[in-house]
Amino acid sequence: MGAVASTPAPIRFRPMPLSELLDELFRLYRRHFSLIVTVSLLVALPGLVWSLVTGIYRFNSSSYVNSLITTSPGGQPTFNSQQLSNLVGSLILGFVGGFFLLPISLGAVFRSITDVALGQPATVGSVLRETLARYLPLLGLVALGFLMFLGWTIAEGIGFLLLVLPGIAVFCAAVYLGVRWLLVLPAMMAEDIGPVRGLGRSWNLVKGSWWRTFGILLIVLIMYFIISYALVILFGLIAAIFTSGDFHAALVQVGSTLLGAVLGPILYIAVVLLYFDLRVRKEGLDLDQLAQQTTPGPAPA
């Protein structure tokens, strides 16, 4: 818990073109790798344990899904309702656990990146304490995100049932809104605001810069998926050689979670850099202003 991030140089507080922003992304990732990845691994572990204990990892196992249909002695296929009940129960447990763990998983990684981006001393312990102190606002954001996703899913289904074009329009609207609200977590962490104000801050910052924000995000996503999927496929092939059945599914789940914890912060760093870059461009943000915003008040007597 005592791993301290190096803090001699915060990020470059000036408008950054794409090449410089990507260079800053990997510089931050390399320099503060131990802190950011340690936090990411720690907050990923509860979700991994929950997945293994509840059996939700089996949902990705073809052997488990195939077991829903069994063959009777007479050769007739029979639907296994008990197996389906177990699967549905595991999915419900997985969703409930994920819902309450997600605020910590997202918030802690963004907290660590925001701290090191500002050049503030940070340890694993301080990051986790600050994140827990913001748990309720983060939970509120997760709840809002779930309601938005549920509404989008219903609208998307209705759109495709009626006609293909309305479904495509709903999808495009979701992408547009997702980019406009992309910066909500960095805003909440850097400015100590709630989820509703955070959504508003992100909306205003991205205004007029939607295509640039979307383009940078798309480039980083492509880079991330190429690296992560190559490693996941490689790990899956190696695991398939030595294991099978439920143990294979559990091993793949463990490997995917650990790889996600190591590589996922790349995406989060990109979002944090976009947040500060847009504040510099739109608000003339500089280190002096940040020092005033982040300086703690006097300690109580």
Side-chain angles (χ1 to χ4, degrees), residues 172-219:
C172 292
V175 172
Y176 175 80
L177 293 174
V179 174
R180 289 297 296 264
W181 288 327
L182 177 68
L183 310 180
V184 57
L185 274 167
M188 288 178 64
M189 290 300 168
E191 303 178 40
D192 195 24
I193 56 179
V196 175
R197 285 186 62 195
L199 290 168
R201 281 289 286 150
S202 178
W203 185 273
N204 292 329
L205 286 172
V206 177
K207 183 180 180 180
S209 301
W210 191 92
W211 282 108
R212 179 177 179 274
T213 304
F214 173 75
I216 293 173
L217 178 65
L218 182 62
I219 291 170

Side-chain angles (χ1 to χ4, degrees), residues 10-292:
I11 61 173
R12 307 162 199 170
F13 285 98
R14 60 173 182 265
M16 290 183 285
L18 174 61
S19 59
E20 191 173 344
L21 191 142
L22 293 176
D23 177 65
E24 187 69 33
L25 187 160
F26 289 106
R27 184 185 75 88
L28 201 68
Y29 183 71
R30 284 194 315 271
R31 176 168 291 183
H32 304 287
F33 181 86
S34 60
L35 174 76
I36 295 172
V37 172
T38 299
V39 169
S40 183
L41 286 169
L42 283 176
V43 297
L45 286 178
L48 174 61
V49 172
W50 185 262
S51 173
L52 296 175
V53 169
T54 60
I56 189 66
Y57 70 91
R58 296 195 188 102
F59 188 67
N60 296 321
S61 171
S62 59
S63 62
Y64 187 82
V65 175
N66 291 337
S67 68
L68 293 175
I69 305 296
T70 58
T71 304
S72 64
Q76 295 294 324
T78 304
F79 183 74
N80 192 331
S81 58
Q82 181 61 46
Q83 196 79 330
L84 178 63
S85 298
N86 294 338
L87 179 61
V88 171
S90 296
L91 287 172
I92 293 173
L93 284 173
F95 170 79
V96 172
F99 181 83
F100 288 103
L101 290 173
L102 190 57
I104 300 296
S105 302
L106 287 176
V109 182
F110 272 101
R111 176 79 269 168
S112 65
I113 296 169
T114 303
D115 283 349
V116 298
L118 295 173
Q120 297 176 348
T123 65
V124 174
S126 69
V127 167
L128 294 179
R129 284 194 301 271
E130 291 168 2
T131 304
L132 287 171
R134 302 278 294 149
Y135 180 79
L136 289 180
L138 289 167
L139 183 64
L141 179 64
V142 171
L144 282 174
F146 171 72
L147 292 176
M148 291 176 188
F149 177 77
L150 185 62
W152 173 80
T153 303
I154 295 172
E156 186 76 6
I158 294 173
F160 275 111
L161 281 176
L162 296 177
L163 285 171
V164 174
L165 286 180
I168 295 175
V170 172
F171 174 78
C172 292
V175 172
Y176 175 80
L177 293 174
V179 174
R180 289 297 296 264
W181 288 327
L182 177 68
L183 310 180
V184 57
L185 274 167
M188 288 178 64
M189 290 300 168
E191 303 178 40
D192 195 24
I193 56 179
V196 175
R197 285 186 62 195
L199 290 168
R201 281 289 286 150
S202 178
W203 185 273
N204 292 329
L205 286 172
V206 177
K207 183 180 180 180
S209 301
W210 191 92
W211 282 108
R212 179 177 179 274
T213 304
F214 173 75
I216 293 173
L217 178 65
L218 182 62
I219 291 170
V220 176
L221 280 172
I222 291 172
M223 292 168 50
Y224 169 79
F225 282 123
I226 289 174
I227 298 171
S228 62
Y229 273 116
L231 292 174
V232 167
I233 290 172
L234 178 62
F235 181 83
L237 289 174
I238 295 173
I241 296 173
F242 300 102
T243 61
S244 61
D246 281 357
F247 181 72
H248 169 73
L251 191 61
V252 169
Q253 180 69 39
V254 171
S256 300
T257 300
L258 296 180
L259 284 173
V262 173
L263 297 176
I266 293 174
L267 294 177
Y268 302 155
I269 293 172
V271 173
V272 171
L273 290 178
L274 280 169
Y275 164 77
F276 284 116
D277 180 69
L278 285 172
R279 287 196 65 184
V280 169
R281 291 172 183 271
K282 294 198 166 191
E283 302 172 353
L285 185 70
D286 58 29
L287 287 175
D288 291 335
Q289 291 175 322
L290 281 170
Q292 294 173 4

